[in-house]
Amino acid sequence: MDEKLSKVDPKLLDLLVCPLTKGRLSFDRETNELISQRAQLAYPIRDGIPIMLISEARKIED
């Protein structure tokens, strides 16, 4: 998993925002996802590429 994480450009992660709320995202290293707290969605990162589609996001349960 660390190999996949190293492929994500940190500068890219700073530029990405949630497509639903346009808010900031945080990176969850354990699940390899970008988290939107406002939308309660987790966007996956596959093969070093963030998948920024609402339809692909996982809903975060409280």
Side-chain angles (χ1 to χ4, degrees):
M1 184 179 302
D2 288 334
E3 184 177 314
K4 288 182 182 179
L5 293 178
S6 65
K7 292 180 185 177
V8 179
D9 184 353
K11 291 179 185 177
L12 175 63
L13 295 179
D14 287 339
L15 295 174
L16 291 174
V17 295
C18 174
L20 184 63
T21 66
K22 308 298 187 246
R24 295 187 62 103
L25 298 167
S26 59
F27 177 62
D28 186 338
R29 187 174 297 276
E30 288 182 23
T31 59
N32 201 33
E33 295 173 321
L34 295 174
I35 307 297
S36 171
Q37 293 296 332
R38 285 176 49 193
Q40 292 294 297
L41 294 173
Y43 298 94
I45 298 174
R46 297 185 189 128
D47 297 323
I49 300 169
I51 309 300
M52 303 305 298
L53 299 172
I54 296 168
S55 62
E56 292 288 318
R58 176 178 63 82
K59 188 148 186 81
I60 299 172
E61 302 295 329
D62 288 334

